[in-house]
Amino acid sequence: MSDTSPPKTAPSPATAAGPKAGSPPDLTSDPTGRPGAGSGEALVRDGREEEEVRDRARLRAPIVYEILRRDGEDELDRPMASLWWSGVAAGLSIGFSPLSEALLRSHLPDAAWRPLIENFGYAVGFLIVILARQQLFTENTIAAVLPICSSPTRKAFGKMLRLWGIVFAANMVGAVVFSAFLVWSGLLSGEVMEALVEISREAVAPGPGALVIRGIAAGWLIASVVWILPSAENSRMLVIVLITYLIGLGEFAHVVAGSVEASVLVLHDGASVVSSVVLFILPALLGNIIGGTALFSLLAYGQVHHELR
């Protein structure tokens, strides 16, 4: 009796050796074969889709922390000249925030809804500074502090103070130069200059105590921008605009942008330099440091330090 069963074929080398090296894992049959998979998970068809899931997943807080910590370490080690000129550029660029706000105000009627529109101009300077990677003091509060949170040494603390000192001084120089250009160049029409002076008076009016509180809010929001941007991907511009718009609309005190406004009053109205420093710049500076460093940075570290090695 002849054997009518089909002849046995030897397994192909690829089958015998298992999946081809470098090929995506087969996730089409049993998702439980994937590490970490469990009941209730959607069936992912191939390795390409698995990679897409991972790419689209939100960054975990420890990953965001590590991105910012490494960025802060890089900034702490930058040469003094690089920090200085980047800080001057930021001081000049941030001047476009009050200028853009003044341009919008000069073209809008004096109505109750006007602040809702004109404060979009406040975001312009921050867009330039952040997207151009210029050194802005309030943006550097969180970046410089996170490395110290993880390694609180005297050397690291000294580097932070060096960074803060150079960047803040450079920002002030850039802000004053930009203000002098606006006041003395004749660039602005009478209506725009009048709007700029009016905005500047409103910025310094609240008084030192209120400015500290408003500075805390501004410092927190700028630190929030820094924390959100690593996850923002294609929405970076939207994040910057919305959060800095809120700073302008809420009349919160940002020390560098506010220094442009204070300098305009000194150069245009003859306001006292000492009064501007004592009654505006120092209170806003203190508030920004508290909001961006003592509060946001420490809380950001606190939420991840149990997950750090």
Side-chain angles (χ1 to χ4, degrees), residues 139-229:
E139 188 186 2
N140 272 302
T141 53
I142 183 172
V145 169
L146 289 182
I148 296 177
C149 291
S150 59
S151 180
T153 64
R154 181 178 299 180
K155 181 179 180 181
F157 188 74
K159 285 184 177 182
M160 184 195 72
L161 293 180
R162 167 184 171 271
L163 173 68
W164 282 10
I166 295 171
V167 170
F168 182 71
N171 287 168
M172 293 299 101
V173 170
V176 172
V177 170
F178 192 87
S179 302
F181 176 74
L182 294 181
V183 173
W184 292 338
S185 67
L187 172 70
L188 305 182
S189 65
E191 293 80 6
V192 177
M193 178 58 69
E194 182 180 351
L196 180 60
V197 171
E198 184 180 5
I199 289 170
S200 300
R201 290 170 181 163
E202 293 170 0
V204 303
L211 286 170
V212 171
I213 302 301
R214 297 185 184 198
I216 291 173
W220 179 280
L221 289 171
I222 291 296
S224 299
V225 173
V226 177
W227 186 266
I228 293 170
L229 285 183

Side-chain angles (χ1 to χ4, degrees), residues 223-281:
S224 299
V225 173
V226 177
W227 186 266
I228 293 170
L229 285 183
S231 305
E233 297 184 351
N234 297 329
S235 303
R236 292 168 62 86
M237 184 176 295
L238 180 62
V239 168
I240 298 168
V241 169
L242 288 180
I243 294 183
T244 54
Y245 167 73
L246 183 59
I247 294 174
L249 187 63
E251 298 181 349
F252 303 143
H254 186 275
V255 64
V256 184
S259 295
V260 176
E261 297 161 332
S263 299
V264 166
L265 294 181
V266 170
L267 299 174
H268 185 273
D269 285 2
S272 169
V273 175
V274 175
S275 296
S276 297
V277 171
V278 173
L279 300 180
F280 177 79
I281 293 178

